[in-house]
């Protein structure tokens, strides 16, 4: 069961990292904001599963939102 949990947690963390990276790689604001909304959802689900802390997700979301808002239109 430990190995199963570990694999599940690794997969969820990887999914979260890819979502965050996708926002960082966005080139325009519209795409950035759309990807941010998906990333925020993934972050919240990762918190719900107990893989990261609520504060960590909040910090990521805050920084991503700021980044997406600064992208060129």
């Amino acid at each position: 069961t430990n190995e199963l949990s570990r694999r599940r947690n690794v997969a969820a963390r990887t999914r979260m990292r890819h979502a965050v990276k996708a926002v960082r790689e966005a080139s325009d604001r519209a795409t950035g904001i759309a990807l941010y909304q998906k990333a925020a959802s993934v972050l919240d689900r990762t918190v719900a599963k107990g893989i990261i802390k609520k504060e960590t997700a909040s910090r990521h979301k805050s920084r991503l939102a700021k980044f997406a808002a600064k992208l060129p239109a």
Side-chain angles (χ1 to χ4, degrees):
T1 52
N2 282 346
E3 183 62 19
L4 262 177
S5 298
R6 189 187 72 80
R7 284 186 186 173
R8 199 176 298 126
N9 291 344
V10 167
R13 193 177 284 269
T14 303
R15 198 172 302 119
M16 177 192 80
R17 288 194 182 127
H18 283 301
V20 169
K21 269 186 192 169
V23 178
R24 291 281 179 194
E25 290 169 1
S27 53
D28 64 294
R29 194 176 303 148
T31 329
I33 289 172
L35 288 169
Y36 164 75
Q37 288 170 340
K38 284 183 183 157
S41 171
V42 171
L43 283 161
D44 288 336
R45 279 181 288 170
T46 311
V47 169
K49 291 172 185 174
I51 296 164
I52 61 170
K53 292 183 177 177
K54 190 166 61 172
E55 293 81 7
T56 307
S58 181
R59 185 173 63 247
H60 278 296
K61 288 195 293 189
S62 174
R63 289 176 183 170
L64 285 175
K66 224 163 98 175
F67 176 82
K70 280 185 185 175
L71 285 170

